[in-house]
Amino acid sequence: MKSNIKYAVGVDLGGTNVKVGIVSDSGKIIKKTSIDTKASEGPNKVVAQIITAIGQVLNNNKLKIKGIGIGAAGVVIVEKGIVENPPNVPGWKKVKLASIIENYFHIKTKVENDANAAAIAEMMFGAGKKFHSFIMVTLGTGVGGGIIFNKKIYRGNFGAAGEIGHVSIDYQGQQCNCGSFGCVETFVGNKYLVKRVQTELSYHKDSMIWNLINNDLSLLTPLIIEQALLKNDYFATKVVADLGKYLGIALASVANAIDISTFIIGGGVSGFGTPLIKSIQDTTSSRVLKSLKDKIKIIPAKLKNDAGIIGASSLIFYKS
Amino acid sequence: MKSNIKYAVGVDLGGTNVKVGIVSDSGKIIKKTSIDTKASEGPNKVVAQIITAIGQVLNNNKLKIKGIGIGAAGVVIVEKGIVENPPNVPGWKKVKLASIIENYFHIKTKVENDANAAAIAEMMFGAGKKFHSFIMVTLGTGVGGGIIFNKKIYRGNFGAAGEIGHVSIDYQGQQCNCGSFGCVETFVGNKYLVKRVQTELSYHKDSMIWNLINNDLSLLTPLIIEQALLKNDYFATKVVADLGKYLGIALASVANAIDISTFIIGGGVSGFGTPLIKSIQDTTSSRVLKSLKDKIKIIPAKLKNDAGIIGASSLIFYKS
C-alpha cells in the first residue's frame, strides 16, 4: 500500500547550531540532527555545515522528499532565494543559499526569514490553525515577528514586514543594535534582559537567583530566571511581569496600527509560560483602543523545541 | 452629445461643520456648501443638518448622481453603514447613517472613516496615484491614518486599522484620550500641540508668536504657529521640527512593523509644509531598519481644503 504522506527537509540556521530534520506534512519530525554552525569561520564554512547536516539526515533516507526549506535570521529575498546579513554570521553579505543547496542535492529549495517560517508553522501545525490573521512573536536574542494575514504570510514591500522588535516604546530610551532608540527589543531581547537583571539584582539581595548563579552574575541566563520564576521567586516574578508589560505596550501600538488582535508568543523565553502570557495580555488589553479591548488574544506558541525545523519544512508544504 | 462624466455627493462630517459637495469622477468639485454641525444638540440634530446640507447641493441639480459618500470620524462599520462614537458628537453611539440618508434621498449611500476616505481620495486623485501601498496620515485635532495596500483600502479585522495616532512613542508619557500613554497624538495632535507651545512660550520671550497673539496665550492656534513659521520665527521653526520628529519616530515603528515605506501627510497642520515634511523624513529615515532606510518617502498630500468632500465622494467611485 502506498502512503500519501509527504516529507520535507527543514533547516533551522542559527548562529550557534544548524538544526536539520525530515518532517512529515502533518508537522511530525521523523529524523533530525544538529551540528555546530561555525559562524566565526565565515559564510563558506557555514554553507558547508548546512550541506553536511542535510547530508546526515538524507543518508540512507528512503522517503520521498518534496523539498528543502531553510529558515534564517536576517532579510530574506524569498523570490531570489537570497539570505542577506544574518546577524550572527560575520562576513555574510548576500548568499544565494537556495540555489546552492538546490544544485547540490537536486531537491527544490526555499528560504525564508526564520520568524516568518515560525509564523507559517504555527498557522499550519500550531496555535494559529484556527485564526485567519495573527502575528507571531518570537522572543530570543532578538524579538522577531511574522504576520499572517488572511491565512497568508505578509512579507511587505521589501520582505521586512513583522519587525515587531523594532517598534520603539521609548523614543529617548537606550540605543538598539538597529541604530534606533528604545526599541522593544532593548527591553525584552535576551541580552538586554540579562544585563538589566544583572544590574538590578544588587537591589534584591534576598532573591533566590543569587543562589542559582552561585553569586556569580556572569552565570545569569534567561533559563536561570525561568528556574527562579518556577520557584516563585519574587524578583523573577517581577522581571517576567515587566517583560510582559514592555512587550504588551509594543503589541498595543501594533494592534492599533494594523488591527490584528491575535498574537502568538514563541521563542526561547516562552518558557516563562503563563505569568508572561498573562502580563502581555493585561498590558495589551489595557492599552489598545476601546474597539479592540475585548478582542486582544495573547496565546503561547504550540511548537516548542523543534519549531525552527518544523517551520522551515512548512515552507515546502505551504502554498503561498 | 452625452457626457460620460459621473458625479457623486461627498459629505465631510466634522465636529464643527458639515461640508457637502457635488464632485466629478476626476475629483473636481462642481458645487459645495458648508453648514454648522450643531454637534452639541445631539445626533438627531446632526443627522438633520446632514440632510439639510445635502439638500442644498442637490437643489436644482441636473447632473446624474451616482451615490452619496460620507466620511466621518470614529469607528465606521462600512458593510452595515453604521457610524459609532464620532468623538466630536456627544451622545452619538451607533447610528445607521447610510440607510437613513439612502432612504431619505433614494440615492445609494456609503459611509467610511474619514481618514480612510482621505487615503482613498489621495490614491485616486492625489499624491498616492503612483504608489501601490502607502499610509495616509491626517494631522488635526487627532492623528488619523488610512492604509492603502496594493491599491486597496485595508480596514483590518474590526475596521480599526490605521490608527497611527495611537502608536505610543513613550510608554511613560502623558495619558492620551484613548486611555493609553504617550501616544504620538499626545505629541502632535492640535490640542496637545497648542498646550505645549503655550507652556513653553514663557521661555521664549523673543518669539514673534507673542506679537501674533497680542500676548494673550488663549489666542494661540496651529495657524498662528504656521504664520510665525512662515516668517522664520526661531521658536516656531523648532516647534515644527519637533512635531516632525515625534511623528517620524512613530512612522519608523510602523514602517518596521508592516514594511510600508510611503507616507502621505495631510490634514490641518500640513500648512507647516516643507519644514514639517523634511523633519518627518529625516527622523523616519534615521530610525527605520537598514533595509528600509533608502525607501522611506514622506510626501505632502495633494488634496488640501476640500480633501474631506473629495475623499467622501471617492467612496462612490472607488471599487473595493
Side-chain angles (χ1 to χ4, degrees), chain B residues 241-258:
Chain B
D242 283 351
L243 196 74
K245 187 186 80 177
Y246 295 129
L247 187 59
I249 291 163
L251 299 189
S253 287
V254 172
N256 285 342
I258 63 174

Side-chain angles (χ1 to χ4, degrees), chain A residues 75 133 147 149 154-163 166-171 178 180-181 187 246 249 253 256-261 287 289 291-292 295, chain B residues 75 133 147 149 154-163 166-171 178 180-181 187 246 249 253 256-261 287 289 291-292 295:
Chain A
V75 171
S133 302
I147 302 178
F149 181 65
Y154 166 71
R155 295 190 183 90
N157 289 329
F158 306 108
E163 290 286 0
H166 301 286
V167 168
S168 171
I169 65 170
D170 181 3
Y171 72 99
C178 77
S180 187
F181 297 84
F187 288 83
Y246 295 129
I249 290 163
S253 288
N256 285 342
I258 63 174
D259 190 5
I260 290 182
S261 51
R287 285 199 168 232
L289 292 171
S291 54
L292 292 173
K295 284 147 190 157
Chain B
V75 171
S133 303
I147 302 178
F149 180 65
Y154 167 71
R155 296 192 182 89
N157 288 330
F158 306 109
E163 291 285 0
H166 301 285
V167 169
S168 172
I169 65 170
D170 180 4
Y171 72 99
C178 79
S180 187
F181 296 85
F187 288 82
Y246 295 129
I249 291 163
S253 287
N256 285 342
I258 63 174
D259 190 4
I260 289 182
S261 51
R287 286 201 166 231
L289 292 171
S291 55
L292 291 174
K295 283 146 191 160

